[in-house]
Structure formats: C-alpha cells, structure tokens
Amino acid sequence: MTAKEHGGKDPLIGQVLDGKYRINNLLGQGGMGAVYRATHILMDHPCAVKVLHSSMMTDPSAIPRFQREARAAARIRHQNAIAVNDFGITPDNVVYLVMEFFPGRSLRELLKTEGRFTVERTARIVERVAAALDAAHQQGIIHRDVKPDNVMIRELPNGDDEVKVLDFGIAKIVDSSQAMAESLTITGTIIGTPHYLSPEQCRAATDLDARSDMYSLAVVTYEMLTGSVPF
C-alpha cells in the first residue's frame, strides 16, 4: 500500500491510540476504514492499524463486522497471509485492529507499472496466494474478495517475491459446529469486486465455498499473464 494525499489534517496522525500505538501516517482507505502505519510504543515495533470510519458507527452491524474481520484473520497463521495481532475499542469509541506491517506494493500497482508477468513469476506468486487461501479454507474461512488489490508483494534482491494476502474483511466464516454459516451481510447483497466475482457470487448465493475463491484467483492469474481481465 502506498501513502495517499488527503485534504485536511488527519486528527489521528501523531496520536497514541489506546495507549499503545503511535499513528505515523496514512497508508490507504477502504469502504469500512483507514489503514495507518504505526509504531507499538512499548515494543518499538512497526505495525499497520486499521481504524473503522466514524461514519460507520451509526450502522449497528459495523462493529460486529469489524470484529469478524479481526477474528477471521487471526485464525489464519500462514507466511503468505497478513497476520492480525490485536483488536480494540478505545474509551472514546475508536474501533481498530492491528496487523503486521508489510513494506510491499500491491499486485495491482505492479501490473500498472510493469505490465503482464512472465509465466514463471505468475506461477510463483499464484502458488503462494493459493497457499494462503488454502490455510484460510482449512479454518473454514472463504475470502470472497480475491483481487490484485488484496495481494501484496515485496520484490527481494535475489529476484524472488515475498507474497502476502490481506483483507479478510468480507470473509465468510463457516463453522462446522453451526447449522448455518456466520453472515453479517444482507441477504441478496452481492459481495466482492465485479471483475473477479464467481458466478455464484453474482447470483448472491449464500452457500459459497472454497471454489469461489479459486475462480477469483483464476481471473487474477489470467490478468497477470495477459494484462487484462477475461470478462
């Protein structure tokens, strides 16, 4: 993720959140929250902090959805998945989660600046994304938004790529001990990014499984090899 310029001063920048995390600068924004580079002041360790937009606080489902993101991501411990290490709500109702800081660039940025990839590099990156998704699937978690924006890559001096999958914010958590999958989305709502949606996602199906993520990863693979999406 790269820093973005926004009008006006962000009141969080320079503040210490919850007595633990010094907010250094804005990395990016999404539909639910903003992501900052921060420092754990007790450990003197860099991290990324995602803060729920204050405008979302009027939505009674927003905090449970944010908690779900934290819980889902914390269940996935894999070298190719961004680790989530903390979640909290401050006394003044700032809701946040803390992730490992990964100094890479998104696959989306790389495709824009470098164009299509070689078969060898594509295979290497896709294998690592698939490994992270497999770790999630083994925990009963379906990502539902696999796309180049959610794949982070750090290009190493030896020519290799370190790969991380992030943003399980709209993940579907399937618990075999429950009769139904946990869902905090409205029935009939289409979840995901249009170019990468599986057919069942387009139909707003409620019985998604790991195959939906595999479809989306196949679209990403096609884009890496050709420079455009298939549909």
Side-chain angles (χ1 to χ4, degrees), residues 18-31:
D18 220 10
K20 293 185 287 186
Y21 305 104
R22 181 185 301 111
I23 305 299
N24 299 323
N25 59 277
L26 180 69
L27 293 173
Q29 298 213 47

Side-chain angles (χ1 to χ4, degrees), residues 78 80 126-136:
H78 191 274
N80 297 121
V126 169
E127 179 183 24
R128 293 167 187 179
V129 173
L133 293 174
D134 181 60

Side-chain angles (χ1 to χ4, degrees), residues 18 66 86-90 94-98:
D18 220 10
F66 209 59
D86 197 6
F87 172 85
I89 304 175
T90 69
V94 176
V95 183
Y96 69 91
L97 63 83
V98 181

Side-chain angles (χ1 to χ4, degrees), residues 107-108 111 116 146-149 193-197 215-231:
L107 177 55
R108 173 75 67 207
L111 285 169
R116 59 189 183 184
V146 178
K147 59 183 178 181
D149 313 73
T193 303
H195 288 128
Y196 307 94
L197 289 177
Y215 179 97
S216 300
L217 180 56
V219 175
V220 172
T221 305
Y222 184 99
E223 185 174 7
M224 291 173 69
L225 291 170
T226 67
S228 61
V229 292
F231 307 111

